[in-house]
Amino acid sequence: MGNVQRLTFRKRERLVSLRLIDDLFGGGSSRSVAAFPLRAIFKVRVREDHAAAPVQLLISVPKKHFHHAVDRNHVKRQIREAWRLHKQLLVEAIAPDKQLLVAFVWQSSQHLATSAVEERIANLTCRIAERMNS
């Protein structure tokens, strides 16, 4: 099989710490990029816990846009799959002593095809990688 990298989205890559979430959304140094209907909020910070993943992700699909849980779960599943395929760009771009916190927020009441969601995620990851180092 050779040197094939497994594309996964592990539990430690999920942003669940309330302290880190507050830091991402409350801090003034967070930045944002959009590719409708997704908005990505991200922040590069010093990596305190080296057991934590270098890039952590939070996905938000508000009840305001999709009232039924099955619809919210479907959109979150699409975002997770697209992230799993495209996150490597950011993992390689982040310095070993830094950590990247990313939140994807869905901003529409419309469903999109999985290929369209993947295209938006790919666009956002490229733009985050560009802005991370600037």
Side-chain angles (χ1 to χ4, degrees), residues 42-114:
F42 65 97
K43 179 177 185 171
V44 177
R45 62 188 294 276
V46 175
R47 191 169 170 188
E48 297 162 1
D49 180 11
H50 288 282
V55 180
Q56 289 190 326
L57 176 71
L58 175 134
I59 299 171
S60 174
V61 181
K63 204 182 272 190
K64 169 180 149 185
H65 297 303
F66 292 110
H67 301 293
H68 299 285
V70 66
D71 295 324
R72 292 192 301 277
N73 292 340
H74 176 72
V75 172
K76 287 190 276 190
R77 198 174 309 116
Q78 288 178 308
I79 294 169
R80 276 195 306 270
E81 177 62 14
W83 172 256
R84 184 184 69 80
L85 297 173
H86 295 283
K87 71 174 178 176
Q88 198 58 36
L89 175 70
L90 296 175
V91 171
E92 292 168 358
I94 193 84
D97 63 329
K98 301 286 185 187
Q99 183 178 31
L100 176 65
L101 307 177
V102 181
F104 286 129
V105 181
W106 190 266
Q107 298 184 310
S108 171
S109 297
Q110 301 296 315
H111 281 281
L112 254 65
T114 301

Side-chain angles (χ1 to χ4, degrees), residues 110-130:
Q110 301 296 315
H111 281 281
L112 254 65
T114 301
S115 60
V117 173
E118 185 177 338
E119 181 183 307
R120 296 324 191 272
I121 296 286
N123 177 311
L124 288 171
T125 55
C126 289
R127 290 169 53 199
I128 289 170
E130 290 169 3

